[in-house]
Structure formats: structure tokens, C-alpha cells
Amino acid sequence: MSFSGKVKEELGKNISPARHCRIAETAAFICMCGTVVINRFDRYSLKIRTENLIVARKVFTLIEKTFNIKTDISVRRNISKHSVSYSVVVRRSRDALRILQAVKMTGENQNAADELYAVNPLITQQVCCKRAFLRGTFQASGSMSDPAKAYHFEIVCASERVAEQIRDMICSFDMDAKIVPRKKSFVVYLKEGSQIVDILNIMEAHVSLMELENVRILKEMRNSVNRKVNCETANINKTVSAAVKQLEDITYLRDRIGFENMPEALVEAALARLSNPDATLKELGESLTPPVGKSGINHRLRKLSEMAEKARQEQGGLL
């Protein structure tokens, strides 16, 4: 099962003890994947469709526990697409109307079809109800990427209006959710690992949150180790390149000028480098008698390089 599937499975088992939170979560399912039908006799019916069996069970349980209403569940198989869809249906008009009135999706001032699916702020006034609503929207049409590969959380909305309401609700928890159009939909998304941890906490997916945190810790440790290795490798390469250049300069001076014609301190540093081609500056300085500091040995080696460069230029001039 994918990480996104695990999160939905965990959320599917979360039934709030508070009725107002169950109403808010029910409103989310209706808003995201519900269909309200009003026939010519002004009779209502309600259908909530999903391709996730866990979501269908959650909707069935929410409606039964919150409204004491029995619903029908129908299953439809699409052989060509190898998919299955589930529909939780409230057929009795008075039951459907009671649910819609409870979630504030119908009333005297709501006649337009699009208003049936708008999120009414009255049902998400409390922080706990906002949590429940976001939990429902994610189960209905949300997804998450595998945190071992990337950090990405999204909720796909059918209308820009609903997307803006969900974005604002997420941002009310001090997060930076954004909206991007995708084909005929609008996607509310989060990209940062820390914010995805926060949204899991808000939706009360605590087991998944711990799993994500473990992945984040491992990734951060791995990245830290890689940075240190890369830094050490760069330093080693730099040290080796410098040592090779020093050996070339010292060998050139020995063969062209001769150590007997050079200052004693520089000859001492030159012999130390020839004897210890892989040693660091600190190790070279400590090998001298008396020992010389890192800056002191570096000064001598730099003088040797300058002498070698000058000798090469003079040699070139003679030619």
C-alpha cells in the first residue's frame, strides 16, 4: 500500500466523538465527491461516490452515527479501466434534506446549484471542526507522495471557489498552501516536509506522522553525511593537488639550482616534503626540528614555489 493509502486508512478509522466535528467531516465528503439531486417533485437524494472502499465505509459510518440514517452502498466495476467505484446513497428525501440542512448546504438563501457544494463557514468555526473538514477533504480527493522520494501533499478540487476555501483553511494553521490549475481542476498543495508533518498532525494522522518523521530524519542524516564526505573529498583533492605541485617545484629546484645554493630553512622544508609526499602541512611542520607551525611550513613551501616559478621564467628567457 502506498504512503497516501496508509494515511487514508488511518484517517478512515478516526471517528470524532463530537457530533459537530462529524458533521464538518460529512460536509467535506459531500463537497468533494457528493451529488445532490432534486427531482421535479422537489424531492432530494444524495450520492457520495468514491473509488476507495475505506472512504465509502467512513461515509457510511459517519452518516449512521451522526444522523442515525441507513444508507445504501452500490458497487460499479469498470472492466475497461480495471477499476471499482463505490456509491453511498441516501434515497429518502427527508433523510437527504436533514443531512444537507445539518451541513448548511441548503436553505432559504441557497438556490443556485453551485451553492449546494460551497463550504459554509458556520460548520468550521471551531478549530476542531476545521481539522475534521480537512480530514474529510483529503480522504475524498487528496493524495501524498512517498516521503522517501519527495514531499508533496495535494487536494484536488472541482471548483476554484472550493479550492480557495480549503487553501484559506489550511493557511489558518500558519501554513503556506498554494493553488495551481490542472486540466479542469484546481489543486491545493503543500511542498515542504515540515508543513506536510503539520497537516498530518492537523488531520490527526499521528501514526503516519511518525513514519514521515522517521523518513525525514534518515534523509537529513544521509544528506548531512553526503555533505561532509563531499567536503572532505574536496579538501583531500585540494591537499593532494597542492602536494603534487610542491613536489614538482622542489624537484625542479633540486635539479636546476641544487639545494646547496638555497637557504637552509627552505632546504629543510623541501626535504621534508620529498620524504613525506602525502603529509598535511601540520604533519610536515611537526616533522621538522624544531617543529614549525602550519603557517610557517606553508610560508616556506610557498617561497619554494615562487623560486621555482622564477627559475622557470629565467630558463625560458635564456632559451
Side-chain angles (χ1 to χ4, degrees):
M1 182 183 292
S2 67
F3 183 77
S4 186
K6 290 179 181 178
V7 175
K8 290 188 178 183
E9 184 177 39
E10 181 181 357
L11 295 178
K13 299 174 183 177
N14 186 336
I15 305 293
S16 175
R19 187 174 189 272
H20 49 84
C21 290
R22 294 199 299 268
I23 288 175
E25 193 167 356
T26 303
F29 284 114
I30 297 172
C31 176
M32 304 305 291
C33 55
T35 303
V36 178
V37 177
I38 308 173
N39 67 16
R40 59 194 179 95
F41 301 108
D42 286 335
R43 298 185 64 82
Y44 286 75
S45 63
L46 175 62
K47 179 188 290 186
I48 299 173
R49 183 181 175 278
T50 177
E51 294 183 356
N52 191 322
L53 179 59
I54 295 171
V55 173
R57 288 173 178 167
K58 180 67 175 288
V59 173
F60 178 90
T61 304
L62 275 175
I63 293 176
E64 184 178 26
K65 284 185 174 292
T66 308
F67 303 100
N68 195 26
I69 292 173
K70 297 290 185 180
T71 58
D72 297 328
I73 297 182
S74 62
V75 181
R76 176 174 293 182
R77 299 181 183 277
N78 190 321
I79 298 175
S80 61
K81 295 183 179 180
H82 303 287
S83 63
V84 180
S85 64
Y86 307 89
S87 295
V88 181
V89 185
V90 180
R91 301 187 188 281
R92 294 177 62 180
S93 179
R94 65 180 182 180
D95 289 342
L97 190 57
R98 185 151 63 93
I99 294 170
L100 292 171
Q101 288 172 340
V103 299
K104 312 296 185 195
M105 288 188 180
T106 185
E108 293 180 0
N109 299 322
Q110 288 185 295
N111 298 317
D114 63 331
E115 290 182 339
L116 284 168
Y117 304 100
V119 183
N120 194 312
L122 292 175
I123 66 165
T124 55
Q125 286 182 319
Q126 299 184 65
V127 173
C128 59
C129 293
K130 288 182 181 179
R131 291 173 177 267
F133 186 87
L134 290 174
R135 184 163 60 240
T137 58
F138 177 76
Q139 291 173 89
S141 61
S143 64
M144 289 181 64
S145 60
D146 184 346
K149 299 177 181 177
Y151 298 126
H152 184 80
F153 170 96
E154 69 176 37
I155 296 172
V156 181
C157 307
S159 74
E160 188 174 10
R161 181 183 180 188
V162 172
E164 289 172 348
Q165 289 177 311
I166 293 173
R167 177 201 59 195
D168 293 344
M169 200 175 297
I170 293 174
C171 290
S172 71
F173 290 96
D174 295 325
M175 287 185 286
D176 187 25
K178 299 185 184 302
I179 299 174
V180 62
R182 183 189 294 165
K183 296 181 180 179
K184 296 182 179 180
S185 303
F186 296 86
V187 181
V188 183
Y189 69 93
L190 295 168
K191 296 290 286 184
E192 293 183 14
S194 59
Q195 294 197 9
I196 294 175
V197 168
D198 290 341
I199 195 69
L200 287 176
N201 183 48
I202 288 165
M203 296 189 302
E204 299 180 327
H206 301 304
V207 175
S208 299
L209 185 155
M210 292 305 298
E211 184 177 343
L212 175 56
E213 283 286 46
N214 288 336
V215 172
R216 287 184 71 207
I217 291 169
L218 288 173
K219 287 178 73 173
E220 287 175 7
M221 287 180 62
R222 191 179 296 115
N223 291 338
S224 177
V225 169
N226 287 339
R227 283 194 297 269
K228 288 180 180 179
V229 169
N230 291 338
C231 183
E232 290 175 0
T233 301
N235 288 336
I236 290 171
N237 291 337
K238 185 178 179 181
T239 301
V240 169
S241 297
V244 169
K245 179 66 168 59
Q246 290 161 8
L247 288 169
E248 289 177 354
D249 292 339
I250 291 168
T251 303
Y252 184 85
L253 290 172
R254 182 192 64 190
D255 297 341
R256 295 290 180 177
I257 298 176
F259 287 160
E260 64 275 8
N261 299 316
M262 294 167 53
E264 184 179 348
L266 296 185
V267 172
E268 187 180 20
L271 293 173
R273 173 51 82 192
L274 289 173
S275 301
N276 303 280
D278 299 327
T280 63
L281 292 177
K282 183 180 179 181
E283 292 169 344
L284 279 181
E286 291 174 348
S287 69
L288 300 180
T289 306
V292 177
K294 186 177 177 180
S295 60
I297 192 69
N298 185 51
H299 175 72
R300 295 186 190 185
L301 291 171
R302 190 166 61 248
K303 290 292 291 183
L304 288 167
S305 294
E306 291 173 358
M307 288 178 63
E309 188 61 29
K310 185 178 179 181
R312 289 190 184 98
Q313 290 176 358
E314 291 177 350
Q315 184 69 24
L318 293 174
L319 295 174

